[in-house]
PDB file of all heavy atoms in Angstrom:
ATOM      1  N   VAL A   1       0.871  -1.167   0.000  1.00  0.00           N
ATOM      2  CA  VAL A   1       0.000   0.000   0.000  1.00  0.00           C
ATOM      3  C   VAL A   1       0.912   1.223   0.000  1.00  0.00           C
ATOM      4  O   VAL A   1       1.783   1.358   0.852  1.00  0.00           O
ATOM      5  CB  VAL A   1      -0.915   0.013   1.241  1.00  0.00           C
ATOM      6  CG1 VAL A   1      -1.649   1.341   1.353  1.00  0.00           C
ATOM      7  CG2 VAL A   1      -1.908  -1.152   1.178  1.00  0.00           C
ATOM      8  N   ARG A   2       0.714   2.096  -0.985  1.00  0.00           N
ATOM      9  CA  ARG A   2       1.604   3.245  -1.152  1.00  0.00           C
ATOM     10  C   ARG A   2       0.869   4.553  -0.869  1.00  0.00           C
ATOM     11  O   ARG A   2      -0.305   4.714  -1.216  1.00  0.00           O
ATOM     12  CB  ARG A   2       2.169   3.293  -2.579  1.00  0.00           C
ATOM     13  CG  ARG A   2       3.096   2.132  -2.925  1.00  0.00           C
ATOM     14  CD  ARG A   2       3.673   2.310  -4.315  1.00  0.00           C
ATOM     15  NE  ARG A   2       4.694   1.321  -4.629  1.00  0.00           N
ATOM     16  CZ  ARG A   2       4.483   0.204  -5.311  1.00  0.00           C
ATOM     17  NH1 ARG A   2       3.280  -0.084  -5.753  1.00  0.00           N
ATOM     18  NH2 ARG A   2       5.482  -0.636  -5.556  1.00  0.00           N
ATOM     19  N   VAL A   3       1.598   5.490  -0.278  1.00  0.00           N
ATOM     20  CA  VAL A   3       1.128   6.858  -0.068  1.00  0.00           C
ATOM     21  C   VAL A   3       2.152   7.782  -0.709  1.00  0.00           C
ATOM     22  O   VAL A   3       3.358   7.614  -0.524  1.00  0.00           O
ATOM     23  CB  VAL A   3       0.967   7.180   1.424  1.00  0.00           C
ATOM     24  CG1 VAL A   3       0.700   8.666   1.636  1.00  0.00           C
ATOM     25  CG2 VAL A   3      -0.160   6.350   2.028  1.00  0.00           C
ATOM     26  N   GLY A   4       1.669   8.777  -1.463  1.00  0.00           N
ATOM     27  CA  GLY A   4       2.580   9.586  -2.260  1.00  0.00           C
ATOM     28  C   GLY A   4       2.900   8.856  -3.550  1.00  0.00           C
ATOM     29  O   GLY A   4       2.530   7.692  -3.746  1.00  0.00           O
ATOM     30  N   ASN A   5       3.605   9.528  -4.453  1.00  0.00           N
ATOM     31  CA  ASN A   5       3.875   8.904  -5.744  1.00  0.00           C
ATOM     32  C   ASN A   5       5.228   9.381  -6.279  1.00  0.00           C
ATOM     33  O   ASN A   5       5.385  10.542  -6.647  1.00  0.00           O
ATOM     34  CB  ASN A   5       2.763   9.253  -6.738  1.00  0.00           C
ATOM     35  CG  ASN A   5       2.721   8.310  -7.913  1.00  0.00           C
ATOM     36  OD1 ASN A   5       3.745   8.034  -8.521  1.00  0.00           O
ATOM     37  ND2 ASN A   5       1.531   7.815  -8.234  1.00  0.00           N
ATOM     38  N   ALA A   6       6.190   8.451  -6.287  1.00  0.00           N
ATOM     39  CA  ALA A   6       7.550   8.799  -6.699  1.00  0.00           C
ATOM     40  C   ALA A   6       7.662   9.099  -8.186  1.00  0.00           C
ATOM     41  O   ALA A   6       8.682   9.619  -8.632  1.00  0.00           O
ATOM     42  CB  ALA A   6       8.510   7.666  -6.333  1.00  0.00           C
ATOM     43  N   ALA A   7       6.615   8.803  -8.963  1.00  0.00           N
ATOM     44  CA  ALA A   7       6.669   9.125 -10.389  1.00  0.00           C
ATOM     45  C   ALA A   7       6.717  10.625 -10.631  1.00  0.00           C
ATOM     46  O   ALA A   7       7.007  11.058 -11.755  1.00  0.00           O
ATOM     47  CB  ALA A   7       5.466   8.516 -11.110  1.00  0.00           C
ATOM     48  N   HIS A   8       6.465  11.418  -9.603  1.00  0.00           N
ATOM     49  CA  HIS A   8       6.550  12.875  -9.791  1.00  0.00           C
ATOM     50  C   HIS A   8       7.983  13.314 -10.099  1.00  0.00           C
ATOM     51  O   HIS A   8       8.205  14.423 -10.569  1.00  0.00           O
ATOM     52  CB  HIS A   8       6.028  13.609  -8.546  1.00  0.00           C
ATOM     53  CG  HIS A   8       6.957  13.613  -7.377  1.00  0.00           C
ATOM     54  ND1 HIS A   8       7.048  12.563  -6.488  1.00  0.00           N
ATOM     55  CD2 HIS A   8       7.850  14.539  -6.936  1.00  0.00           C
ATOM     56  CE1 HIS A   8       7.945  12.850  -5.562  1.00  0.00           C
ATOM     57  NE2 HIS A   8       8.443  14.036  -5.809  1.00  0.00           N
ATOM     58  N   GLU A   9       8.954  12.423  -9.862  1.00  0.00           N
ATOM     59  CA  GLU A   9      10.346  12.731 -10.158  1.00  0.00           C
ATOM     60  C   GLU A   9      10.722  12.424 -11.611  1.00  0.00           C
ATOM     61  O   GLU A   9      11.816  12.754 -12.058  1.00  0.00           O
ATOM     62  CB  GLU A   9      11.264  11.940  -9.235  1.00  0.00           C
ATOM     63  CG  GLU A   9      11.058  12.250  -7.756  1.00  0.00           C
ATOM     64  CD  GLU A   9      11.895  11.352  -6.861  1.00  0.00           C
ATOM     65  OE1 GLU A   9      12.147  10.193  -7.246  1.00  0.00           O
ATOM     66  OE2 GLU A   9      12.286  11.825  -5.794  1.00  0.00           O
ATOM     67  N   GLN A  10       9.832  11.786 -12.352  1.00  0.00           N
ATOM     68  CA  GLN A  10      10.166  11.351 -13.707  1.00  0.00           C
ATOM     69  C   GLN A  10      10.165  12.508 -14.704  1.00  0.00           C
ATOM     70  O   GLN A  10       9.547  13.544 -14.488  1.00  0.00           O
ATOM     71  CB  GLN A  10       9.162  10.292 -14.175  1.00  0.00           C
ATOM     72  CG  GLN A  10       9.252   8.970 -13.450  1.00  0.00           C
ATOM     73  CD  GLN A  10       8.298   7.945 -14.042  1.00  0.00           C
ATOM     74  OE1 GLN A  10       7.460   8.264 -14.869  1.00  0.00           O
ATOM     75  NE2 GLN A  10       8.442   6.703 -13.613  1.00  0.00           N
ATOM     76  N   PHE A  11      10.857  12.266 -15.820  1.00  0.00           N
ATOM     77  CA  PHE A  11      10.807  13.172 -16.962  1.00  0.00           C
ATOM     78  C   PHE A  11       9.839  12.597 -17.984  1.00  0.00           C
ATOM     79  O   PHE A  11      10.044  11.501 -18.505  1.00  0.00           O
ATOM     80  CB  PHE A  11      12.195  13.331 -17.589  1.00  0.00           C
ATOM     81  CG  PHE A  11      12.173  14.046 -18.917  1.00  0.00           C
ATOM     82  CD1 PHE A  11      11.580  15.298 -19.048  1.00  0.00           C
ATOM     83  CD2 PHE A  11      12.753  13.464 -20.038  1.00  0.00           C
ATOM     84  CE1 PHE A  11      11.563  15.952 -20.273  1.00  0.00           C
ATOM     85  CE2 PHE A  11      12.735  14.120 -21.270  1.00  0.00           C
ATOM     86  CZ  PHE A  11      12.148  15.365 -21.389  1.00  0.00           C
ATOM     87  N   GLN A  12       8.764  13.339 -18.240  1.00  0.00           N
ATOM     88  CA  GLN A  12       7.786  12.930 -19.249  1.00  0.00           C
ATOM     89  C   GLN A  12       7.598  14.091 -20.216  1.00  0.00           C
ATOM     90  O   GLN A  12       7.036  15.132 -19.864  1.00  0.00           O
ATOM     91  CB  GLN A  12       6.452  12.541 -18.605  1.00  0.00           C
ATOM     92  CG  GLN A  12       6.505  11.237 -17.827  1.00  0.00           C
ATOM     93  CD  GLN A  12       5.142  10.836 -17.293  1.00  0.00           C
ATOM     94  OE1 GLN A  12       4.128  11.189 -17.853  1.00  0.00           O
ATOM     95  NE2 GLN A  12       5.139  10.110 -16.187  1.00  0.00           N
ATOM     96  N   LEU A  13       8.047  13.899 -21.414  1.00  0.00           N
ATOM     97  CA  LEU A  13       8.006  14.947 -22.423  1.00  0.00           C
ATOM     98  C   LEU A  13       6.579  15.311 -22.806  1.00  0.00           C
ATOM     99  O   LEU A  13       6.287  16.465 -23.147  1.00  0.00           O
ATOM    100  CB  LEU A  13       8.796  14.483 -23.656  1.00  0.00           C
ATOM    101  CG  LEU A  13       8.923  15.445 -24.832  1.00  0.00           C
ATOM    102  CD1 LEU A  13       9.661  16.715 -24.410  1.00  0.00           C
ATOM    103  CD2 LEU A  13       9.650  14.747 -25.989  1.00  0.00           C
ATOM    104  N   ASP A  14       5.663  14.347 -22.760  1.00  0.00           N
ATOM    105  CA  ASP A  14       4.307  14.581 -23.261  1.00  0.00           C
ATOM    106  C   ASP A  14       3.538  15.638 -22.483  1.00  0.00           C
ATOM    107  O   ASP A  14       2.636  16.281 -23.020  1.00  0.00           O
ATOM    108  CB  ASP A  14       3.516  13.269 -23.274  1.00  0.00           C
ATOM    109  CG  ASP A  14       3.327  12.688 -21.887  1.00  0.00           C
ATOM    110  OD1 ASP A  14       4.337  12.262 -21.295  1.00  0.00           O
ATOM    111  OD2 ASP A  14       2.185  12.647 -21.396  1.00  0.00           O
ATOM    112  N   VAL A  15       3.893  15.857 -21.211  1.00  0.00           N
ATOM    113  CA  VAL A  15       3.092  16.778 -20.407  1.00  0.00           C
ATOM    114  C   VAL A  15       3.212  18.222 -20.895  1.00  0.00           C
ATOM    115  O   VAL A  15       2.299  19.029 -20.689  1.00  0.00           O
ATOM    116  CB  VAL A  15       3.456  16.691 -18.907  1.00  0.00           C
ATOM    117  CG1 VAL A  15       3.116  15.314 -18.360  1.00  0.00           C
ATOM    118  CG2 VAL A  15       4.905  17.051 -18.653  1.00  0.00           C
ATOM    119  N   TYR A  16       4.310  18.560 -21.566  1.00  0.00           N
ATOM    120  CA  TYR A  16       4.445  19.916 -22.102  1.00  0.00           C
ATOM    121  C   TYR A  16       3.417  20.148 -23.220  1.00  0.00           C
ATOM    122  O   TYR A  16       2.814  21.218 -23.313  1.00  0.00           O
ATOM    123  CB  TYR A  16       5.861  20.142 -22.627  1.00  0.00           C
ATOM    124  CG  TYR A  16       6.906  20.131 -21.526  1.00  0.00           C
ATOM    125  CD1 TYR A  16       7.606  18.968 -21.221  1.00  0.00           C
ATOM    126  CD2 TYR A  16       7.175  21.277 -20.788  1.00  0.00           C
ATOM    127  CE1 TYR A  16       8.550  18.943 -20.207  1.00  0.00           C
ATOM    128  CE2 TYR A  16       8.123  21.269 -19.777  1.00  0.00           C
ATOM    129  CZ  TYR A  16       8.807  20.099 -19.486  1.00  0.00           C
ATOM    130  OH  TYR A  16       9.737  20.080 -18.475  1.00  0.00           O
ATOM    131  N   GLY A  17       3.229  19.142 -24.055  1.00  0.00           N
ATOM    132  CA  GLY A  17       2.209  19.246 -25.090  1.00  0.00           C
ATOM    133  C   GLY A  17       0.809  19.304 -24.510  1.00  0.00           C
ATOM    134  O   GLY A  17      -0.057  20.047 -25.004  1.00  0.00           O
ATOM    135  N   GLU A  18       0.571  18.519 -23.461  1.00  0.00           N
ATOM    136  CA  GLU A  18      -0.737  18.560 -22.798  1.00  0.00           C
ATOM    137  C   GLU A  18      -1.032  19.966 -22.278  1.00  0.00           C
ATOM    138  O   GLU A  18      -2.146  20.483 -22.429  1.00  0.00           O
ATOM    139  CB  GLU A  18      -0.786  17.552 -21.659  1.00  0.00           C
ATOM    140  CG  GLU A  18      -0.946  16.115 -22.084  1.00  0.00           C
ATOM    141  CD  GLU A  18      -2.320  15.812 -22.654  1.00  0.00           C
ATOM    142  OE1 GLU A  18      -3.237  16.649 -22.506  1.00  0.00           O
ATOM    143  OE2 GLU A  18      -2.484  14.740 -23.258  1.00  0.00           O
ATOM    144  N   LEU A  19      -0.035  20.556 -21.643  1.00  0.00           N
ATOM    145  CA  LEU A  19      -0.236  21.903 -21.096  1.00  0.00           C
ATOM    146  C   LEU A  19      -0.505  22.917 -22.190  1.00  0.00           C
ATOM    147  O   LEU A  19      -1.451  23.717 -22.108  1.00  0.00           O
ATOM    148  CB  LEU A  19       1.006  22.325 -20.307  1.00  0.00           C
ATOM    149  CG  LEU A  19       1.004  22.102 -18.814  1.00  0.00           C
ATOM    150  CD1 LEU A  19       2.303  22.609 -18.217  1.00  0.00           C
ATOM    151  CD2 LEU A  19      -0.175  22.800 -18.154  1.00  0.00           C
ATOM    152  N   MET A  20       0.328  22.918 -23.235  1.00  0.00           N
ATOM    153  CA  MET A  20       0.160  23.894 -24.302  1.00  0.00           C
ATOM    154  C   MET A  20      -1.177  23.694 -25.014  1.00  0.00           C
ATOM    155  O   MET A  20      -1.837  24.670 -25.415  1.00  0.00           O
ATOM    156  CB  MET A  20       1.317  23.796 -25.296  1.00  0.00           C
ATOM    157  CG  MET A  20       2.664  24.246 -24.731  1.00  0.00           C
ATOM    158  SD  MET A  20       2.659  25.962 -24.164  1.00  0.00           S
ATOM    159  CE  MET A  20       2.378  26.842 -25.715  1.00  0.00           C
ATOM    160  N   ASP A  21      -1.599  22.458 -25.146  1.00  0.00           N
ATOM    161  CA  ASP A  21      -2.907  22.175 -25.754  1.00  0.00           C
ATOM    162  C   ASP A  21      -4.026  22.704 -24.858  1.00  0.00           C
ATOM    163  O   ASP A  21      -4.995  23.303 -25.333  1.00  0.00           O
ATOM    164  CB  ASP A  21      -3.045  20.665 -25.963  1.00  0.00           C
ATOM    165  CG  ASP A  21      -4.127  20.323 -26.974  1.00  0.00           C
ATOM    166  OD1 ASP A  21      -4.683  21.243 -27.602  1.00  0.00           O
ATOM    167  OD2 ASP A  21      -4.419  19.127 -27.144  1.00  0.00           O
ATOM    168  N   ALA A  22      -3.897  22.484 -23.557  1.00  0.00           N
ATOM    169  CA  ALA A  22      -4.921  22.967 -22.628  1.00  0.00           C
ATOM    170  C   ALA A  22      -5.028  24.486 -22.668  1.00  0.00           C
ATOM    171  O   ALA A  22      -6.133  25.048 -22.668  1.00  0.00           O
ATOM    172  CB  ALA A  22      -4.598  22.492 -21.213  1.00  0.00           C
ATOM    173  N   PHE A  23      -3.883  25.162 -22.708  1.00  0.00           N
ATOM    174  CA  PHE A  23      -3.919  26.623 -22.761  1.00  0.00           C
ATOM    175  C   PHE A  23      -4.535  27.111 -24.077  1.00  0.00           C
ATOM    176  O   PHE A  23      -5.268  28.106 -24.093  1.00  0.00           O
ATOM    177  CB  PHE A  23      -2.518  27.199 -22.583  1.00  0.00           C
ATOM    178  CG  PHE A  23      -1.963  27.018 -21.191  1.00  0.00           C
ATOM    179  CD1 PHE A  23      -0.641  26.641 -20.994  1.00  0.00           C
ATOM    180  CD2 PHE A  23      -2.758  27.223 -20.077  1.00  0.00           C
ATOM    181  CE1 PHE A  23      -0.127  26.478 -19.715  1.00  0.00           C
ATOM    182  CE2 PHE A  23      -2.259  27.056 -18.800  1.00  0.00           C
ATOM    183  CZ  PHE A  23      -0.933  26.683 -18.614  1.00  0.00           C
ATOM    184  N   GLU A  24      -4.252  26.421 -25.187  1.00  0.00           N
ATOM    185  CA  GLU A  24      -4.847  26.792 -26.466  1.00  0.00           C
ATOM    186  C   GLU A  24      -6.364  26.587 -26.433  1.00  0.00           C
ATOM    187  O   GLU A  24      -7.130  27.443 -26.904  1.00  0.00           O
ATOM    188  CB  GLU A  24      -4.219  25.970 -27.593  1.00  0.00           C
ATOM    189  CG  GLU A  24      -4.911  26.076 -28.949  1.00  0.00           C
ATOM    190  CD  GLU A  24      -4.892  27.482 -29.541  1.00  0.00           C
ATOM    191  OE1 GLU A  24      -4.164  28.367 -29.016  1.00  0.00           O
ATOM    192  OE2 GLU A  24      -5.622  27.710 -30.515  1.00  0.00           O
ATOM    193  N   GLN A  25      -6.811  25.451 -25.881  1.00  0.00           N
ATOM    194  CA  GLN A  25      -8.253  25.209 -25.794  1.00  0.00           C
ATOM    195  C   GLN A  25      -8.921  26.241 -24.894  1.00  0.00           C
ATOM    196  O   GLN A  25     -10.057  26.655 -25.151  1.00  0.00           O
ATOM    197  CB  GLN A  25      -8.524  23.792 -25.278  1.00  0.00           C
ATOM    198  CG  GLN A  25      -7.984  22.668 -26.143  1.00  0.00           C
ATOM    199  CD  GLN A  25      -8.490  22.712 -27.570  1.00  0.00           C
ATOM    200  OE1 GLN A  25      -9.607  23.146 -27.829  1.00  0.00           O
ATOM    201  NE2 GLN A  25      -7.663  22.255 -28.503  1.00  0.00           N
ATOM    202  N   SER A  26      -8.237  26.668 -23.844  1.00  0.00           N
ATOM    203  CA  SER A  26      -8.821  27.666 -22.949  1.00  0.00           C
ATOM    204  C   SER A  26      -8.922  29.021 -23.650  1.00  0.00           C
ATOM    205  O   SER A  26      -9.859  29.782 -23.395  1.00  0.00           O
ATOM    206  CB  SER A  26      -7.999  27.781 -21.658  1.00  0.00           C
ATOM    207  OG  SER A  26      -6.749  28.400 -21.877  1.00  0.00           O
ATOM    208  N   ARG A  27      -7.971  29.323 -24.538  1.00  0.00           N
ATOM    209  CA  ARG A  27      -8.079  30.560 -25.323  1.00  0.00           C
ATOM    210  C   ARG A  27      -9.288  30.486 -26.260  1.00  0.00           C
ATOM    211  O   ARG A  27     -10.072  31.432 -26.366  1.00  0.00           O
ATOM    212  CB  ARG A  27      -6.804  30.812 -26.140  1.00  0.00           C
ATOM    213  CG  ARG A  27      -5.656  31.408 -25.344  1.00  0.00           C
ATOM    214  CD  ARG A  27      -4.533  31.876 -26.262  1.00  0.00           C
ATOM    215  NE  ARG A  27      -3.813  30.766 -26.874  1.00  0.00           N
ATOM    216  CZ  ARG A  27      -2.747  30.177 -26.339  1.00  0.00           C
ATOM    217  NH1 ARG A  27      -2.288  30.580 -25.166  1.00  0.00           N
ATOM    218  NH2 ARG A  27      -2.134  29.197 -26.964  1.00  0.00           N
ATOM    219  N   LYS A  28      -9.433  29.360 -26.939  1.00  0.00           N
ATOM    220  CA  LYS A  28     -10.571  29.192 -27.840  1.00  0.00           C
ATOM    221  C   LYS A  28     -11.890  29.271 -27.081  1.00  0.00           C
ATOM    222  O   LYS A  28     -12.877  29.809 -27.582  1.00  0.00           O
ATOM    223  CB  LYS A  28     -10.484  27.840 -28.550  1.00  0.00           C
ATOM    224  CG  LYS A  28      -9.403  27.728 -29.602  1.00  0.00           C
ATOM    225  CD  LYS A  28      -9.469  26.351 -30.243  1.00  0.00           C
ATOM    226  CE  LYS A  28      -8.433  26.174 -31.330  1.00  0.00           C
ATOM    227  NZ  LYS A  28      -8.496  24.818 -31.927  1.00  0.00           N
ATOM    228  N   GLY A  29     -11.903  28.698 -25.885  1.00  0.00           N
ATOM    229  CA  GLY A  29     -13.135  28.662 -25.100  1.00  0.00           C
ATOM    230  C   GLY A  29     -13.397  29.918 -24.303  1.00  0.00           C
ATOM    231  O   GLY A  29     -14.430  30.024 -23.639  1.00  0.00           O
ATOM    232  N   GLY A  30     -12.479  30.891 -24.357  1.00  0.00           N
ATOM    233  CA  GLY A  30     -12.695  32.142 -23.657  1.00  0.00           C
ATOM    234  C   GLY A  30     -12.596  32.037 -22.153  1.00  0.00           C
ATOM    235  O   GLY A  30     -13.216  32.818 -21.421  1.00  0.00           O
ATOM    236  N   LEU A  31     -11.815  31.075 -21.655  1.00  0.00           N
ATOM    237  CA  LEU A  31     -11.690  30.903 -20.208  1.00  0.00           C
ATOM    238  C   LEU A  31     -10.779  31.950 -19.584  1.00  0.00           C
ATOM    239  O   LEU A  31     -10.773  32.113 -18.372  1.00  0.00           O
ATOM    240  CB  LEU A  31     -11.137  29.508 -19.881  1.00  0.00           C
ATOM    241  CG  LEU A  31     -12.046  28.329 -20.236  1.00  0.00           C
ATOM    242  CD1 LEU A  31     -11.379  27.029 -19.818  1.00  0.00           C
ATOM    243  CD2 LEU A  31     -13.404  28.457 -19.586  1.00  0.00           C
ATOM    244  N   ALA A  32      -9.995  32.629 -20.393  1.00  0.00           N
ATOM    245  CA  ALA A  32      -9.077  33.639 -19.877  1.00  0.00           C
ATOM    246  C   ALA A  32      -8.772  34.622 -20.989  1.00  0.00           C
ATOM    247  O   ALA A  32      -9.017  34.351 -22.168  1.00  0.00           O
ATOM    248  CB  ALA A  32      -7.787  32.987 -19.376  1.00  0.00           C
ATOM    249  N   ALA A  33      -8.236  35.755 -20.616  1.00  0.00           N
ATOM    250  CA  ALA A  33      -7.795  36.708 -21.629  1.00  0.00           C
ATOM    251  C   ALA A  33      -6.751  36.042 -22.518  1.00  0.00           C
ATOM    252  O   ALA A  33      -5.959  35.208 -22.057  1.00  0.00           O
ATOM    253  CB  ALA A  33      -7.211  37.947 -20.958  1.00  0.00           C
ATOM    254  N   THR A  34      -6.739  36.397 -23.794  1.00  0.00           N
ATOM    255  CA  THR A  34      -5.882  35.728 -24.779  1.00  0.00           C
ATOM    256  C   THR A  34      -4.418  35.700 -24.346  1.00  0.00           C
ATOM    257  O   THR A  34      -3.731  34.683 -24.484  1.00  0.00           O
ATOM    258  CB  THR A  34      -6.016  36.428 -26.140  1.00  0.00           C
ATOM    259  OG1 THR A  34      -7.363  36.321 -26.567  1.00  0.00           O
ATOM    260  CG2 THR A  34      -5.097  35.786 -27.164  1.00  0.00           C
ATOM    261  N   GLU A  35      -3.934  36.804 -23.820  1.00  0.00           N
ATOM    262  CA  GLU A  35      -2.506  36.898 -23.514  1.00  0.00           C
ATOM    263  C   GLU A  35      -2.143  36.332 -22.145  1.00  0.00           C
ATOM    264  O   GLU A  35      -0.958  36.253 -21.806  1.00  0.00           O
ATOM    265  CB  GLU A  35      -2.053  38.358 -23.604  1.00  0.00           C
ATOM    266  CG  GLU A  35      -2.571  39.263 -22.488  1.00  0.00           C
ATOM    267  CD  GLU A  35      -3.993  39.765 -22.725  1.00  0.00           C
ATOM    268  OE1 GLU A  35      -4.606  39.353 -23.738  1.00  0.00           O
ATOM    269  OE2 GLU A  35      -4.494  40.546 -21.895  1.00  0.00           O
TER     270      GLU A  35
END
């Protein structure tokens, strides 16, 4: 039984694309000012 998650130390390249995609979708959806 584990508490906490050591995978937070890993390098995962895909998360940068996820973030940039999320910010782009939020711009399209008007969730925040464009800039």
Side-chain angles (χ1 to χ4, degrees):
V1 171
R2 294 184 173 97
V3 171
N5 199 312
H8 76 277
E9 299 175 329
Q10 291 184 351
F11 169 54
Q12 289 184 27
L13 182 62
D14 63 292
V15 296
Y16 293 95
E18 284 290 347
L19 265 181
M20 292 301 295
D21 199 6
F23 291 138
E24 170 63 11
Q25 299 303 328
S26 71
R27 281 191 289 270
K28 288 182 179 179
L31 294 182
T34 298
E35 71 278 3

